[in-house]
């Protein structure tokens, strides 16, 4: 996967960290939150990019935006715009290479909450 | 593995939760702490029970005791006494059955901190 995307509105695409700069600690701090784990689980299970608004979350819109931000900063998702929709792509291949088995163990089987 | 052990001083063996009562959330909250992840990593790598005092930790003794307590409450370790030493056993088989791949992903390869 290329390190940057430029589908529609590339000037608004936020910065994404290189996974070489991300440690397990940061990934775990992102995924210990059940709302963030739910977001990643939805992306993992659906195996397709999803707009922020299409993932049902029990939090306010501004809190949801914060959670997406944390996931992006931890290298878990890549965000880009299609028109006015902010889309989210799971960085699955990169995460699997950097942290083998982590995504599968944490969100792969919809384990007990 | 039996659900209780009674090696030496069984009257002092603390209560251990049944893993059926433990959710992924509690396990992650235990393992998101780097000191606690280090303890579990040492038990995982050594594949043998260890006394509390033999695991080198960058925290005070009382803080270490707290960390072992959190790990025990999350079902990750089983504690028992041998004489005056409090021993720690990783509940590896039970964890692997309840949360497949989790221990390997989080402590199995000494990944980047």
């Amino acid at each position: 996967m290329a390190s940057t995307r430029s589908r529609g509105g590339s000037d608004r695409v936020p910065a994404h960290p290189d996974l070489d700069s991300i440690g397990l600690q940061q990934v775990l701090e992102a995924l210990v939150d059940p709302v963030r784990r739910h977001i990643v689980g939805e992306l993992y299970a659906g195996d397709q990019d999803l707009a922020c608004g299409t993932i049902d979350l029990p939090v306010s819109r501004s809190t949801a935006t914060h959670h997406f931000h944390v996931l992006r900063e931890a290298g878990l998702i890549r965000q880009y715009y299609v028109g006015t929709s902010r889309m989210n792509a799971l960085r699955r291949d990169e995460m699997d290479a950097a942290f083998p088995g982590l995504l599968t163990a944490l969100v792969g089987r919809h384990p007990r909450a």
Side-chain angles (χ1 to χ4, degrees), chain A:
Chain A
M1 188 185 287
S3 63
T4 57
R5 291 189 194 219
S6 57
R7 291 193 225 164
S10 63
D11 54 325
R12 292 183 298 158
V13 172
H16 290 86
D18 190 313
L19 277 202
D20 289 343
S21 70
I22 304 292
L24 176 62
Q25 185 62 38
Q26 187 174 356
V27 175
L28 281 182
E29 287 172 9
L31 290 177
V32 74
D33 183 279
V35 172
R36 293 196 289 266
R37 209 159 63 246
H38 176 72
I39 293 170
V40 173
E42 291 291 300
L43 292 167
Y44 186 99
D47 201 21
Q48 62 179 346
D49 300 355
L50 295 172
C52 289
T54 63
I55 302 176
D56 195 32
L57 299 174
V59 297
S60 70
R61 185 165 171 163
S62 64
T63 299
T65 298
H66 165 72
H67 285 313
F68 282 105
H69 175 81
V70 172
L71 290 172
R72 190 178 77 228
E73 291 294 306
L76 282 153
I77 62 170
R78 191 175 295 283
Q79 295 191 297
Y80 60 94
Y81 279 90
V82 174
T84 57
S85 292
R86 180 174 278 206
M87 301 295 295
N88 302 281
L90 184 61
R91 297 175 70 176
R92 185 192 301 241
D93 293 346
E94 294 170 277
M95 285 297 301
D96 284 347
F99 305 102
L102 185 75
L103 285 179
T104 303
L106 296 193
V107 302
R109 273 173 273 258
H110 291 284
R112 304 178 279 186

